[in-house]
Amino acid sequence: MLRIGLLTSGGDCQALNATMRAIVKTVYNNTKEDVEVYGFKDGYQGLIYGRYRKMDWGDFSGILTMGGTILGTSRTPFKRIDTPEADGVEKVPAMRKNYKALKLDCLFVLGGNGSTKTANRLREEGLNVICLPKTIDNDTFGTDITFGFTSAIDVATRCIDDIHTTASSHGRVFVIEIMGHKVGWIPLYAGVAGGADVILIPEIPYKMDNVVKAIERREKNGGRFSIIVCAEGAISQEEAAMRKKDYKAKIAQRVKPSVAYDIAEEVAGRTGKEVRVAVPGHTQRGGQPDAQDRIFATQCGVEAARGFLEGKFGYMIAKVGGKMCRVPLEDIAGKLKYVDPKSDLVREARMLGISFGDE
Amino acid sequence: MLRIGLLTSGGDCQALNATMRAIVKTVYNNTKEDVEVYGFKDGYQGLIYGRYRKMDWGDFSGILTMGGTILGTSRTPFKRIDTPEADGVEKVPAMRKNYKALKLDCLFVLGGNGSTKTANRLREEGLNVICLPKTIDNDTFGTDITFGFTSAIDVATRCIDDIHTTASSHGRVFVIEIMGHKVGWIPLYAGVAGGADVILIPEIPYKMDNVVKAIERREKNGGRFSIIVCAEGAISQEEAAMRKKDYKAKIAQRVKPSVAYDIAEEVAGRTGKEVRVAVPGHTQRGGQPDAQDRIFATQCGVEAARGFLEGKFGYMIAKVGGKMCRVPLEDIAGKLKYVDPKSDLVREARMLGISFGDE
Amino acid sequence: MLRIGLLTSGGDCQALNATMRAIVKTVYNNTKEDVEVYGFKDGYQGLIYGRYRKMDWGDFSGILTMGGTILGTSRTPFKRIDTPEADGVEKVPAMRKNYKALKLDCLFVLGGNGSTKTANRLREEGLNVICLPKTIDNDTFGTDITFGFTSAIDVATRCIDDIHTTASSHGRVFVIEIMGHKVGWIPLYAGVAGGADVILIPEIPYKMDNVVKAIERREKNGGRFSIIVCAEGAISQEEAAMRKKDYKAKIAQRVKPSVAYDIAEEVAGRTGKEVRVAVPGHTQRGGQPDAQDRIFATQCGVEAARGFLEGKFGYMIAKVGGKMCRVPLEDIAGKLKYVDPKSDLVREARMLGISFGDE
Amino acid sequence: MLRIGLLTSGGDCQALNATMRAIVKTVYNNTKEDVEVYGFKDGYQGLIYGRYRKMDWGDFSGILTMGGTILGTSRTPFKRIDTPEADGVEKVPAMRKNYKALKLDCLFVLGGNGSTKTANRLREEGLNVICLPKTIDNDTFGTDITFGFTSAIDVATRCIDDIHTTASSHGRVFVIEIMGHKVGWIPLYAGVAGGADVILIPEIPYKMDNVVKAIERREKNGGRFSIIVCAEGAISQEEAAMRKKDYKAKIAQRVKPSVAYDIAEEVAGRTGKEVRVAVPGHTQRGGQPDAQDRIFATQCGVEAARGFLEGKFGYMIAKVGGKMCRVPLEDIAGKLKYVDPKSDLVREARMLGISFGDE
């Protein structure tokens, strides 16, 4: 008898169901033992409070193309997993207890950075854990890509495409805010795919002077409209300098109102042009997964199941240099993968004439 | 020799190019005379200031699926067309002069309500004008539908679909703001298509009590998330009562910040649930036209050209009760088509369990 | 206690689940009585052989956007419903018996022409039946539109769009076969939406001479490619003349191989141009319903439920002249709705320069 | 003064225009010299017969999202480039002459395997050539991916998705023919993305016994439908054995009728199930490029322009192990990249339960 647990943790994304389908189908197809599957509800909360349902093969049929997660998810406060919450439950011991009570052979965790950190803590407790790199943000350390990323790029790019026709008709400047609080992967990729004129990401703080110059240069060359793609966490050089002293406070203040409105207002004031804002928001993590995400999610799920069947635990499935591999949890837990300002794509975007606002 | 002028006026939408293609192809195909086509730039501004380009058959080839407008558009302040602006140009005489200078046989105006009003004024001046019902908002008086409407519904519905999976995964309430300042056509149709739980439109002022009750009722029935679709111009009963005294001022104040954020804040405060906002904004008027819009736009364009070739002027092409027809400009100029709160679709949506917040 | 039965019959289409959701939600929301729902499997077969499952509210949640039918469907041979099959079961009595055994108050039939005929036969037996106009083909008599139609147009149009870019790049002629054995609704609408140069439908038999002439005319005007959209049941004038004598035999022969290949071969032979074929086939009845179909399907479902709750039976829900209504089954059973060659859209398409191959 | 030539050769694909836009924009943006751009019509034909147009910056604006190629393309018979055709023109000398007449500094060739071979021949003649890896088929040797590939996967996957709902509703077996005469990249990737049950590709000859067994196994496990994805060049083990003796003849015979119909017929005969066929055909190389293709195409274009500006020639731009690079034309000309039956994805697909018909 094999007993496995599944949970999806953190912000949801598009190919979570595809991944779980691959895990479960692969386990069933490649063992002669009976298999019991336990799906924990709403991420680690389900493991902490013992909320789960017993599932079977059929529950994972027909979900390949379905967005969201059939298990539910939540953002449990990972930072304090070793201290009791207001409810008096000590989380790590509670998770350990529920894992043991169900006699699990393995817990599959579909999650991003925060989730990996908690998974690593469970590994230290002696639990068998395998992580799978979920996030639209592509900021999971240890893997070149994550599932959810290409679907989010698709949604963001479609948004830029749609804005293009109306921006062009009216001769307006548009500021489109794309997801990415700490990292700029989606804005960078979608910005290139959508033909943005300016891309502002957290990793490359901007100067408004340079943004305005880019718009004016474009106008001088005959362009009657401009598209500025900014990450949720786009930051000016002035702010970046300040944040070094007082980082946490600033992040908190930026969540709302949207940074795009501030940028729009400043651009409008300085160029005298009509400026409009679009904030596709959570649509970027919703809807059906695209083909690329389904393929990668399936690969991750199969490889995780294979690892489990080989009796190997304590790592995250990853893709590095085009090859599927396993990276130890202790090497990656709590680390973020940023856009490298010197990377190929940034350099290529600059040569193409895209401004990052830093020069 | 036949000489025709074309202009696209007001907010852009998805099938403007498809419509112009149909006009021009039909005129060329159904006359033995030579044809000259003048495209005015940026709506009535082009006619006022004599900015146009001479175009031919080839300019309208391959644009059937293209969003936006190859002529550009603008929102010229229609209310004061009979008075000179700061630039000293008297608009109606200027338009009349440019029309005459080019010896036009007809001016085709692709526009919504404001544009129709100006077109009617030109008709009174003795110009030959034919209007075509453009707008995503579907609020053009005298026709059951307008081109742009179904494409905007598509974009809005896709947005609601995308939000559905993430709302469901996290058990959240979402407020999605859909275009419609004065009318609720797109929110109503997209809300039904997307499976919204609450739809708030200008024509049916809401009470927050009822919105909260609808969410709680849904939760009691096992729904772990709720989708509220609100029009840009959604209005509470309290505000509606106030506006009767001071309408103009209130409208102005609502443009920014978005009404969705206010509603979200109130719902969060009163239900204690996590609430998020999505504002797809101008994406709703961008991108490629859908099949239905292309068909109707093509029908409008052909019928307008047919009317021109018959020597009939002074009307808008319309669809009423499923039939293409011509409605006199003087009957429709300056009138708006509102959602009837007693219409089939509203009644059906209520029976289905959708709340409009009014009861 | 209210007891209702549901079945989906004939070729499937995109908004079947959306329709059933609307029926069931509306019944539950608008009665204080308990409700029992019986879903018959695979169309009338389920009713004949007593294969059904008892369903509840939850089974119809989240299926608004889902293509296909959660009940399954089949094409039972309707012509012989009054005679026993090889299995010895007399169908009408069997259906009557199962209806009575479950003490149904009403049977909702989602089906096209054949299904309506059978439904009418059941009505004659004294059963309470309400039909809902399902079919991608839009050939259901008594209603202006059917659900499934606009989604099928979308898929077909997207196919023509995709072909356009490659046809244009290579300077080829393409023949695209669009669904419609007996009627040409989808090819006509998608052909106009997709910018076809030639549209061949069963209602307007073509002469190959005219098709070739249309391609040559287009080439003379500078077009380096041509798109021919043909219905599955496109027919030459010669064949049409023959069929009048021997209709049945000919239909059978046309099912396979596809008519598009024959037309392509003839066009290639006579024009010397490179000709390619695309047959999107069943993709046209698959995938998610578009927004328009979801709205109309929802309207149909709500109106059917409303009729049931009023105790009115024996009709099909329909939309005529833009209004929802009920048409008696005896007036429509066994009749087909054809494209009228003199209709607005055909006339408009001709003025636009589209050839139907008949002149 | 810099003079560059551009041509697109072979079967078209989705991001050709995006690639050319990137080349031209990058050259203009990164030199102070004047630039002249010559676009050759219809691939190498334009270079052979001196058919080109002088283009500028503006011609490449707004084409990022446009499918097809603004230059046109053709499949010139590459095998005999060194011998005169019926028209008496010796091709290599003609190309050399036209290149020299225009005083080109570089010729950019967007093409696949055949095109690369010819490009290498021109390189041997002393011309400056840079190739860019265009093809939906992903069979270009020397690069991990090609532009066009992910867009083709998208179209193919959407087709499988659409078929899924109708296959499921009717309980049918579907055979979907996906592009790939010699290689199975698209069927493999789209098959995994679309949840196919059987995938048949040229690199893994199948036995019909195994295909039938896979369908029966699935049925035994409760699956009421099956999806078979076959490449255009899918081949049985019997045929593969024969072809070794008589390869050429067999290929020719397979072009038409489609292999999917043969497979469908055999499956229907042996399983007794209803089987249907879908052949999306050239839609797979048409329509707008997806985001991934636009990004990679843009990277290729920028890198090619960068190479040109550095004065480096005689290679193809490629992506290997996630990094952009240059591979010498002589190393890759005339070689094909096949799916490795032992690759990660094939192995993963097998573990998931997908049959390749070989066991």
Side-chain angles (χ1 to χ4, degrees):
Chain A
M1 170 75 76
L2 298 176
R3 287 186 189 82
I4 62 175
L6 293 172
L7 66 83
T8 54
S9 173
D12 73 328
C13 72
Q14 289 95 344
L16 288 164
N17 292 323
T19 309
M20 292 192 282
R21 165 185 177 270
I23 296 172
V24 173
K25 281 191 84 167
T26 303
V27 172
Y28 271 97
N29 276 337
N30 294 279
T31 182
K32 284 174 179 155
E33 297 199 54
D34 285 342
V35 182
E36 282 187 354
V37 180
Y38 296 89
F40 293 99
K41 293 187 185 172
D42 302 338
Y44 286 112
Q45 283 189 12
L47 185 58
I48 295 168
Y49 299 102
R51 292 200 300 259
Y52 60 84
R53 57 193 171 112
K54 212 172 148 180
M55 305 175 79
D56 63 23
W57 174 283
D59 292 311
F60 298 89
S61 177
I63 65 172
L64 170 62
T65 64
M66 206 182 284
T69 160
I70 56 172
L71 295 182
T73 185
S74 66
R75 295 183 186 272
T76 299
F78 300 100
K79 285 160 200 161
R80 306 181 186 164
I81 54 172
D82 287 317
T83 58
E85 289 294 295
D87 58 11
V89 175
E90 290 192 67
K91 292 182 176 177
V92 173
M95 290 193 274
R96 195 176 183 284
K97 200 183 109 226
N98 285 318
Y99 180 102
K100 293 294 182 189
L102 290 169
K103 295 180 190 160
L104 294 184
D105 296 302
C106 182
L107 176 70
F108 294 93
V109 174
L110 289 71
N113 298 299
S115 312
T116 308
K117 202 171 164 185
T118 303
N120 190 42
R121 189 68 193 77
L122 297 178
R123 183 193 61 80
E124 291 167 353
E125 290 289 314
L127 309 192
N128 295 334
V129 187
I130 300 176
C131 286
L132 298 101
K134 165 241 74 163
T135 176
I136 61 166
D137 290 319
N138 196 37
D139 59 357
T140 304
F141 194 84
T143 183
D144 290 351
I145 54 165
T146 58
F147 52 83
F149 182 42
T150 59
S151 300
I153 294 172
D154 284 353
V155 176
T157 302
R158 203 168 55 197
C159 173
I160 304 174
D161 285 353
D162 286 351
I163 292 297
H164 243 108
T165 65
T166 183
S168 153
S169 299
H170 284 271
R172 285 172 175 155
V173 174
F174 264 87
V175 183
I176 308 174
E177 185 178 298
I178 297 300
M179 278 195 160
H181 272 294
K182 298 181 188 165
V183 300
W185 292 101
I186 309 176
L188 172 60
Y189 278 69
V192 171
D197 303 299
V198 177
I199 299 176
L200 306 178
I201 59 174
E203 293 91 338
I204 307 178
Y206 66 90
K207 257 193 132 94
M208 185 49 75
D209 283 352
N210 298 325
V211 174
V212 170
K213 244 185 285 172
I215 295 169
E216 289 171 348
R217 193 183 330 126
R218 190 171 148 80
E219 209 172 353
K220 223 177 58 192
N221 290 336
R224 72 183 231 128
F225 67 98
S226 288
I227 305 278
I228 301 171
V229 167
C230 74
E232 288 170 311
I235 183 172
S236 70
Q237 297 183 354
E238 293 78 5
E239 275 181 272
M242 281 173 50
R243 276 201 205 169
K244 280 192 184 147
K245 302 172 207 157
D246 187 14
Y247 186 74
K248 285 284 160 53
K250 288 292 158 187
I251 282 285
Q253 289 172 21
R254 300 302 317 241
V255 173
K256 188 196 171 186
S258 150
V259 68
Y261 288 100
D262 298 347
I263 293 174
E265 207 165 347
E266 206 170 341
V267 170
R270 294 183 51 171
T271 64
K273 292 184 74 75
E274 270 195 5
V275 185
R276 294 283 184 280
V277 171
V279 185
H282 282 68
T283 58
Q284 293 166 80
R285 53 176 77 251
Q288 297 194 332
D290 76 348
Q292 298 304 317
D293 265 340
R294 293 190 217 166
I295 294 165
F296 181 55
T298 298
Q299 293 194 284
C300 287
V302 173
E303 293 297 341
R306 187 164 69 93
F308 162 63
L309 293 169
E310 289 173 3
K312 302 280 169 58
F313 307 102
Y315 49 84
M316 183 182 75
I317 299 297
K319 192 167 220 169
V320 179
K323 298 294 290 179
M324 300 302 295
C325 59
R326 303 167 187 174
V327 293
L329 284 178
E330 64 259 43
D331 293 353
I332 58 167
K335 294 183 192 164
L336 223 54
K337 183 182 67 182
Y338 294 96
V339 171
D340 177 2
K342 295 192 168 17
S343 64
D344 279 6
L345 189 55
V346 172
R347 184 176 43 75
E348 288 153 0
R350 288 188 198 274
M351 289 192 73
L352 193 66
I354 295 175
S355 168
F356 287 85
D358 60 337
E359 53 183 33
Chain B
M1 170 75 75
L2 298 177
R3 287 185 190 82
I4 62 176
L6 293 172
L7 66 83
T8 55
S9 172
D12 74 327
C13 72
Q14 289 95 343
L16 287 164
N17 291 325
T19 310
M20 291 191 283
R21 167 186 176 268
I23 296 171
V24 173
K25 281 190 84 167
T26 303
V27 172
Y28 270 97
N29 276 336
N30 294 278
T31 181
K32 283 174 181 156
E33 297 199 52
D34 285 342
V35 181
E36 282 187 354
V37 180
Y38 297 89
F40 293 100
K41 292 186 185 175
D42 303 336
Y44 285 113
Q45 283 188 13
L47 185 58
I48 294 168
Y49 299 101
R51 292 200 299 260
Y52 60 84
R53 57 192 170 113
K54 210 172 151 179
M55 306 175 80
D56 63 23
W57 174 283
D59 292 311
F60 298 90
S61 178
I63 64 171
L64 170 62
T65 65
M66 205 181 286
T69 160
I70 57 173
L71 296 182
T73 183
S74 65
R75 295 183 188 271
T76 299
F78 300 100
K79 285 160 198 159
R80 306 183 187 163
I81 54 171
D82 287 317
T83 59
E85 289 295 294
D87 59 11
V89 175
E90 291 193 66
K91 292 181 176 177
V92 173
M95 290 193 274
R96 195 176 183 286
K97 198 182 112 228
N98 284 317
Y99 180 101
K100 294 292 183 191
L102 290 168
K103 294 181 191 160
L104 294 184
D105 295 301
C106 180
L107 176 70
F108 294 93
V109 174
L110 289 71
N113 298 300
S115 312
T116 307
K117 201 169 162 185
T118 305
N120 190 42
R121 189 68 192 75
L122 297 179
R123 183 194 61 81
E124 290 167 354
E125 290 289 314
L127 308 192
N128 294 334
V129 186
I130 300 177
C131 286
L132 298 101
K134 166 241 72 163
T135 176
I136 61 165
D137 290 319
N138 196 35
D139 59 357
T140 304
F141 194 84
T143 182
D144 290 350
I145 55 165
T146 58
F147 53 84
F149 182 41
T150 60
S151 300
I153 294 171
D154 284 352
V155 176
T157 301
R158 204 168 56 197
C159 174
I160 304 174
D161 286 353
D162 286 351
I163 292 297
H164 242 108
T165 65
T166 185
S168 153
S169 300
H170 284 271
R172 284 173 175 154
V173 174
F174 264 88
V175 183
I176 307 173
E177 185 178 299
I178 297 301
M179 279 194 158
H181 273 294
K182 298 182 189 164
V183 300
W185 290 101
I186 309 176
L188 171 60
Y189 277 69
V192 170
D197 302 300
V198 177
I199 299 176
L200 306 178
I201 59 174
E203 293 91 338
I204 308 180
Y206 66 89
K207 255 195 136 93
M208 185 50 74
D209 283 352
N210 298 324
V211 174
V212 170
K213 242 184 286 172
I215 295 169
E216 290 171 347
R217 194 184 327 125
R218 188 169 150 79
E219 209 172 353
K220 224 178 57 191
N221 290 336
R224 75 182 228 125
F225 67 97
S226 288
I227 305 277
I228 301 171
V229 167
C230 73
E232 288 170 311
I235 183 171
S236 69
Q237 296 183 355
E238 293 77 5
E239 274 181 272
M242 280 173 50
R243 275 203 206 167
K244 279 189 185 148
K245 302 172 205 154
D246 188 13
Y247 185 74
K248 285 283 161 55
K250 290 290 158 186
I251 282 284
Q253 287 172 22
R254 300 302 317 239
V255 173
K256 187 199 172 184
S258 148
V259 69
Y261 289 100
D262 298 346
I263 293 174
E265 207 166 347
E266 204 169 343
V267 170
R270 294 183 52 172
T271 63
K273 293 184 76 73
E274 270 195 5
V275 185
R276 293 284 183 281
V277 171
V279 185
H282 283 67
T283 59
Q284 294 167 79
R285 54 176 76 250
Q288 296 195 332
D290 77 348
Q292 298 304 315
D293 265 340
R294 294 190 216 165
I295 294 165
F296 180 54
T298 298
Q299 292 193 284
C300 287
V302 173
E303 293 298 341
R306 187 164 68 94
F308 162 63
L309 292 169
E310 290 172 4
K312 301 282 169 57
F313 307 101
Y315 48 84
M316 182 182 73
I317 299 296
K319 192 167 219 171
V320 179
K323 299 293 291 179
M324 301 301 296
C325 60
R326 303 169 185 173
V327 292
L329 284 178
E330 65 259 43
D331 293 353
I332 59 167
K335 295 182 192 167
L336 223 52
K337 183 181 67 182
Y338 293 96
V339 171
D340 177 1
K342 294 192 168 22
S343 64
D344 278 7
L345 189 54
V346 172
R347 183 176 45 74
E348 288 153 359
R350 288 187 197 276
M351 289 193 73
L352 193 66
I354 295 175
S355 167
F356 287 85
D358 59 336
E359 53 181 34
Chain C
M1 171 74 76
L2 298 177
R3 287 186 188 82
I4 62 175
L6 293 172
L7 66 82
T8 54
S9 172
D12 74 326
C13 71
Q14 289 96 342
L16 288 164
N17 291 324
T19 310
M20 291 191 283
R21 165 185 176 270
I23 296 172
V24 172
K25 280 191 84 166
T26 304
V27 172
Y28 271 96
N29 276 336
N30 294 279
T31 182
K32 284 176 180 154
E33 296 198 52
D34 285 342
V35 181
E36 282 187 354
V37 180
Y38 296 89
F40 293 99
K41 293 186 184 174
D42 303 336
Y44 284 112
Q45 282 188 14
L47 185 57
I48 294 169
Y49 298 103
R51 292 199 300 259
Y52 61 84
R53 57 190 171 113
K54 209 171 149 180
M55 306 175 80
D56 62 23
W57 174 284
D59 292 310
F60 298 90
S61 177
I63 64 172
L64 170 62
T65 65
M66 205 182 285
T69 160
I70 57 172
L71 296 182
T73 184
S74 65
R75 295 182 187 272
T76 299
F78 301 99
K79 285 162 199 159
R80 305 182 188 164
I81 55 171
D82 287 316
T83 58
E85 289 294 295
D87 59 10
V89 175
E90 291 193 67
K91 292 181 174 176
V92 172
M95 291 193 273
R96 195 176 183 286
K97 199 182 111 229
N98 284 317
Y99 179 102
K100 295 293 183 189
L102 290 169
K103 295 181 190 157
L104 294 183
D105 296 302
C106 181
L107 176 70
F108 294 93
V109 173
L110 288 72
N113 298 300
S115 312
T116 308
K117 201 169 162 184
T118 305
N120 191 42
R121 188 67 193 78
L122 297 179
R123 183 194 60 80
E124 291 167 354
E125 289 289 315
L127 308 191
N128 295 334
V129 187
I130 300 177
C131 286
L132 298 101
K134 166 240 72 163
T135 175
I136 60 165
D137 290 318
N138 196 36
D139 59 357
T140 304
F141 194 85
T143 183
D144 289 351
I145 54 165
T146 58
F147 53 84
F149 182 42
T150 60
S151 301
I153 294 172
D154 284 352
V155 176
T157 301
R158 205 168 55 196
C159 174
I160 303 174
D161 285 354
D162 286 351
I163 292 297
H164 243 108
T165 65
T166 185
S168 152
S169 299
H170 284 270
R172 285 171 175 155
V173 174
F174 264 88
V175 183
I176 307 174
E177 185 177 298
I178 297 301
M179 279 194 159
H181 273 293
K182 298 182 188 165
V183 300
W185 291 101
I186 309 176
L188 171 62
Y189 277 69
V192 171
D197 303 299
V198 178
I199 298 175
L200 306 178
I201 59 174
E203 293 91 338
I204 308 179
Y206 66 88
K207 257 196 135 92
M208 185 50 74
D209 283 353
N210 297 326
V211 174
V212 170
K213 240 183 290 172
I215 295 169
E216 289 171 348
R217 193 184 328 125
R218 188 169 149 79
E219 210 172 352
K220 224 177 57 190
N221 290 336
R224 76 183 225 125
F225 68 96
S226 288
I227 305 278
I228 301 171
V229 167
C230 74
E232 289 169 311
I235 184 171
S236 70
Q237 296 182 355
E238 294 78 6
E239 275 181 272
M242 280 173 51
R243 274 202 206 168
K244 280 192 183 145
K245 301 173 207 156
D246 188 13
Y247 185 74
K248 283 285 160 54
K250 288 291 158 188
I251 281 284
Q253 287 173 22
R254 300 301 319 239
V255 173
K256 186 194 170 188
S258 148
V259 68
Y261 289 100
D262 299 346
I263 292 174
E265 208 166 346
E266 204 168 343
V267 170
R270 294 184 51 171
T271 64
K273 292 184 76 73
E274 270 196 3
V275 185
R276 293 283 183 282
V277 171
V279 185
H282 282 67
T283 58
Q284 293 166 80
R285 55 177 75 250
Q288 297 194 333
D290 75 349
Q292 298 304 316
D293 265 339
R294 294 190 216 165
I295 294 165
F296 181 54
T298 298
Q299 292 193 284
C300 287
V302 173
E303 294 297 340
R306 186 164 69 94
F308 162 64
L309 292 169
E310 291 172 3
K312 301 282 168 56
F313 306 102
Y315 50 84
M316 183 182 74
I317 300 296
K319 191 168 219 169
V320 178
K323 298 293 291 179
M324 300 301 296
C325 59
R326 304 168 185 174
V327 292
L329 284 178
E330 65 257 44
D331 293 354
I332 59 167
K335 294 183 192 166
L336 223 53
K337 182 182 66 183
Y338 293 96
V339 171
D340 177 1
K342 295 190 167 21
S343 64
D344 279 7
L345 189 55
V346 172
R347 182 175 45 75
E348 288 153 359
R350 289 187 197 277
M351 289 193 74
L352 193 65
I354 295 175
S355 168
F356 287 84
D358 60 336
E359 51 181 34
Chain D
M1 170 76 75
L2 298 177
R3 287 187 189 81
I4 61 176
L6 293 172
L7 66 83
T8 55
S9 172
D12 73 328
C13 72
Q14 289 96 344
L16 288 164
N17 292 324
T19 310
M20 292 191 283
R21 164 185 177 271
I23 296 172
V24 173
K25 280 190 84 167
T26 304
V27 172
Y28 271 97
N29 276 336
N30 294 279
T31 182
K32 283 175 180 155
E33 296 199 52
D34 285 342
V35 182
E36 282 188 354
V37 180
Y38 297 88
F40 293 99
K41 294 187 185 175
D42 302 337
Y44 285 111
Q45 283 188 13
L47 185 57
I48 295 168
Y49 299 103
R51 292 200 298 260
Y52 60 85
R53 57 192 170 111
K54 209 171 150 182
M55 306 175 79
D56 63 23
W57 174 283
D59 292 311
F60 297 91
S61 176
I63 65 172
L64 170 62
T65 65
M66 206 182 284
T69 160
I70 56 172
L71 296 182
T73 184
S74 65
R75 295 182 187 273
T76 300
F78 301 100
K79 285 160 201 162
R80 306 184 186 163
I81 54 171
D82 287 317
T83 58
E85 290 294 295
D87 59 11
V89 175
E90 290 192 68
K91 292 182 176 177
V92 172
M95 290 193 274
R96 196 177 182 286
K97 199 183 110 225
N98 284 318
Y99 179 102
K100 294 292 183 191
L102 290 169
K103 296 181 189 159
L104 293 184
D105 296 301
C106 182
L107 176 70
F108 294 92
V109 173
L110 289 70
N113 298 299
S115 312
T116 308
K117 202 171 163 184
T118 304
N120 190 41
R121 189 68 193 77
L122 297 179
R123 182 193 62 79
E124 291 167 354
E125 290 288 315
L127 308 192
N128 294 335
V129 187
I130 300 176
C131 285
L132 297 102
K134 166 241 72 162
T135 174
I136 60 165
D137 290 318
N138 196 37
D139 59 357
T140 305
F141 195 84
T143 184
D144 290 351
I145 54 165
T146 58
F147 52 83
F149 182 41
T150 60
S151 301
I153 293 172
D154 283 352
V155 176
T157 301
R158 204 168 54 196
C159 174
I160 304 174
D161 285 353
D162 286 351
I163 292 296
H164 242 108
T165 64
T166 184
S168 154
S169 299
H170 284 271
R172 284 170 176 156
V173 174
F174 264 86
V175 183
I176 308 175
E177 186 177 298
I178 297 300
M179 279 196 159
H181 273 293
K182 298 181 188 164
V183 300
W185 291 100
I186 309 176
L188 171 61
Y189 277 70
V192 170
D197 303 299
V198 177
I199 299 175
L200 307 178
I201 59 173
E203 292 91 339
I204 308 179
Y206 66 89
K207 257 194 134 92
M208 185 49 76
D209 283 351
N210 298 325
V211 174
V212 170
K213 242 184 288 173
I215 295 169
E216 289 171 348
R217 192 183 330 126
R218 190 172 148 80
E219 209 172 354
K220 223 177 60 190
N221 290 336
R224 73 182 229 125
F225 68 97
S226 289
I227 305 278
I228 301 171
V229 167
C230 74
E232 288 169 311
I235 183 171
S236 69
Q237 296 184 355
E238 293 79 5
E239 274 182 273
M242 281 173 50
R243 273 201 207 170
K244 280 189 185 149
K245 302 173 209 160
D246 188 14
Y247 185 73
K248 285 282 161 55
K250 288 292 158 185
I251 282 284
Q253 287 172 22
R254 301 302 318 239
V255 173
K256 187 194 171 189
S258 148
V259 68
Y261 288 100
D262 298 346
I263 293 174
E265 206 165 349
E266 204 169 342
V267 169
R270 294 185 50 170
T271 63
K273 293 184 74 75
E274 270 196 5
V275 185
R276 293 283 184 283
V277 171
V279 185
H282 282 68
T283 58
Q284 293 166 81
R285 55 176 76 251
Q288 296 195 333
D290 75 349
Q292 298 304 315
D293 265 340
R294 292 190 217 166
I295 294 165
F296 180 54
T298 298
Q299 292 194 283
C300 288
V302 173
E303 294 297 341
R306 186 164 68 94
F308 161 65
L309 293 168
E310 290 173 2
K312 301 281 169 56
F313 307 102
Y315 49 84
M316 182 181 75
I317 299 297
K319 192 167 219 169
V320 179
K323 299 293 291 178
M324 300 301 297
C325 60
R326 304 168 186 174
V327 293
L329 283 178
E330 64 259 42
D331 293 353
I332 57 167
K335 295 183 192 165
L336 224 53
K337 183 182 67 184
Y338 294 96
V339 171
D340 177 2
K342 293 190 169 20
S343 63
D344 279 7
L345 189 54
V346 172
R347 182 176 45 74
E348 289 153 359
R350 289 188 197 276
M351 289 193 74
L352 192 66
I354 295 174
S355 168
F356 288 85
D358 60 337
E359 52 182 36

